[in-house]
Amino acid sequence: MTQTPLASLSARSGIHLRLLGMAALWGASWPMGRIVALSVPPLLGASLRFVMASVLLLLWWLSVGGAQRVKHIAAAQWGWLVLAAATGIFGYSVSFMLGLQHLPAGRAAMVITLNPAATLLLAALFFHEKLNWVIVCGMVLAIVGAAMAISGGAPWALLSGSVGAGELIVLGCVGCWVAYTLIGRRLQGVDALTMTTLTAVIGAVMLLGASWVFEGASAWHSLQQAAPSTWLSVFGMALGATVLGYAWFLDGVKTLGASAAAAYITLVPIFGVLFSSLWLSEHMDASLLIGGALAITGMGIMHWGRRA
């Protein structure tokens, strides 16, 4: 049955609203992560998030025939899945939680603006993806802006190593996310939902093991004193940022295409700074606002250059 123009417009509007919601949820994960990082040991906080998310993702994955897809995963692909979990789930989560112990959430959220530049640069190096002058200009602008925002207005300090631990740790998020993205390109034949679900489960096991070894049973006992805001933040990151955010993004990719859906990621750091200011009363100084504006503009230019 053919949709009427009004129904088609309504459906597309719904897609755009869900993508906007995705950007808001991913941005909100930074202040929520800050709340958790300051309340419970970092590995434990990351474990709780991905245990909850893994359960929800498994239920979704199994409901769409995920069990049948496992049979088609080759042994070599399982190796790549474990590596993807080690970087994109374990490594990213550890950098995320440790960085947020030292750095305000709004400033830390600006690290997102480095992800597209680093990913495109390494994709050009390893996969011979073509770059043009527009993309390169956007990369430079995004890198300079992000460095200014993260370093508090002293981007040269990142090169000299004179910045604090938080700035250096949160940059680990970039390396881990880029590795996860590029590994995903190696996993031909494994659909996005299967990769996300299996890496989340494997990563949750890694985080649980690391928490038990390095933080011990006392870390788990600390949950008895966890405030309601901590539990709400963990659940918000698990259900909102990890499951709903991914579901809405995947829906947008299917309907509008990967490029159009990815454009909404430009809004993630804006929501990160906004929610950090509203929920945590974090101060937005000139370096954060100017650096953030430059970085987000650079992301937009890169997106335009890729479409061109």
Side-chain angles (χ1 to χ4, degrees):
M1 184 176 179
T2 304
Q3 281 189 324
T4 64
L6 185 60
S8 178
L9 178 62
S10 177
R12 292 181 69 85
S13 298
I15 294 293
H16 287 287
L17 284 174
R18 286 192 286 276
L19 285 170
L20 188 64
M22 173 271 299
L25 289 171
W26 285 357
S29 69
W30 291 90
M32 288 190 288
R34 172 79 167 168
I35 292 170
V36 176
L38 295 178
S39 304
V40 298
L43 290 172
L44 174 58
S47 299
L48 293 174
R49 172 186 181 178
F50 279 97
V51 167
M52 290 184 187
S54 295
V55 172
L56 296 170
L57 283 168
L58 275 172
L59 292 173
W60 176 19
W61 181 65
L62 290 172
S63 71
V64 295
Q68 299 299 318
R69 301 178 190 181
V70 174
K71 301 176 183 178
H72 305 291
I73 300 177
Q77 290 176 316
W78 279 107
W80 286 111
L81 284 169
V82 171
L83 188 58
T87 54
I89 306 300
F90 181 84
Y92 184 93
S93 298
V94 171
S95 299
F96 178 83
M97 297 301 293
L98 287 175
L100 285 171
Q101 284 187 328
H102 303 279
L103 204 62
R107 199 172 294 281
M110 283 298 152
V111 77
I112 297 168
T113 58
L114 289 173
N115 287 349
T119 302
L120 280 174
L121 198 59
L122 290 178
L125 183 62
F126 293 112
F127 295 98
H128 307 293
E129 186 166 322
K130 293 182 179 180
L131 302 178
N132 55 46
W133 68 270
V134 177
I135 294 175
V136 173
C137 288
M139 278 184 182
V140 172
L141 194 60
I143 291 169
V144 170
M148 179 181 292
I150 294 168
S151 65
W156 52 87
L158 294 174
L159 298 175
S160 64
S162 59
V163 295
E167 287 85 348
L168 296 177
I169 293 171
V170 81
L171 287 174
C173 292
V174 179
C176 290
W177 186 254
V178 171
Y180 179 77
T181 304
L182 296 181
I183 290 168
R185 296 185 62 166
R186 290 275 187 182
L187 282 165
Q188 299 296 327
V190 180
D191 64 279
L193 179 58
T194 297
M195 178 182 171
T196 301
T197 302
L198 295 180
T199 53
V201 171
I202 296 168
V205 173
M206 291 178 176
L207 289 165
L208 282 170
S211 176
W212 188 259
V213 171
F214 295 106
E215 296 172 340
S218 60
W220 293 82
H221 293 153
S222 68
L223 290 176
Q224 297 174 3
Q225 286 77 43
S229 60
T230 301
W231 287 105
L232 284 172
S233 295
V234 170
F235 189 72
M237 288 192 294
L239 174 62
T242 309
V243 178
L244 272 182
Y246 173 76
W248 290 344
F249 180 70
L250 186 61
D251 194 23
V253 169
K254 288 180 178 178
T255 307
L256 304 177
S259 182
Y264 278 85
I265 297 175
T266 310
L267 301 175
V268 173
I270 298 175
F271 280 114
V273 172
L274 177 62
F275 289 139
S276 298
S277 177
L278 291 175
W279 297 347
L280 306 179
S281 300
E282 290 185 358
H283 177 62
M284 293 187 286
D285 59 20
S287 65
L288 179 60
L289 294 174
I290 296 172
L294 290 175
I296 292 164
T297 302
M299 288 177 70
I301 291 172
M302 279 189 289
H303 174 70
W304 177 45
R306 291 192 73 184
R307 295 193 67 171

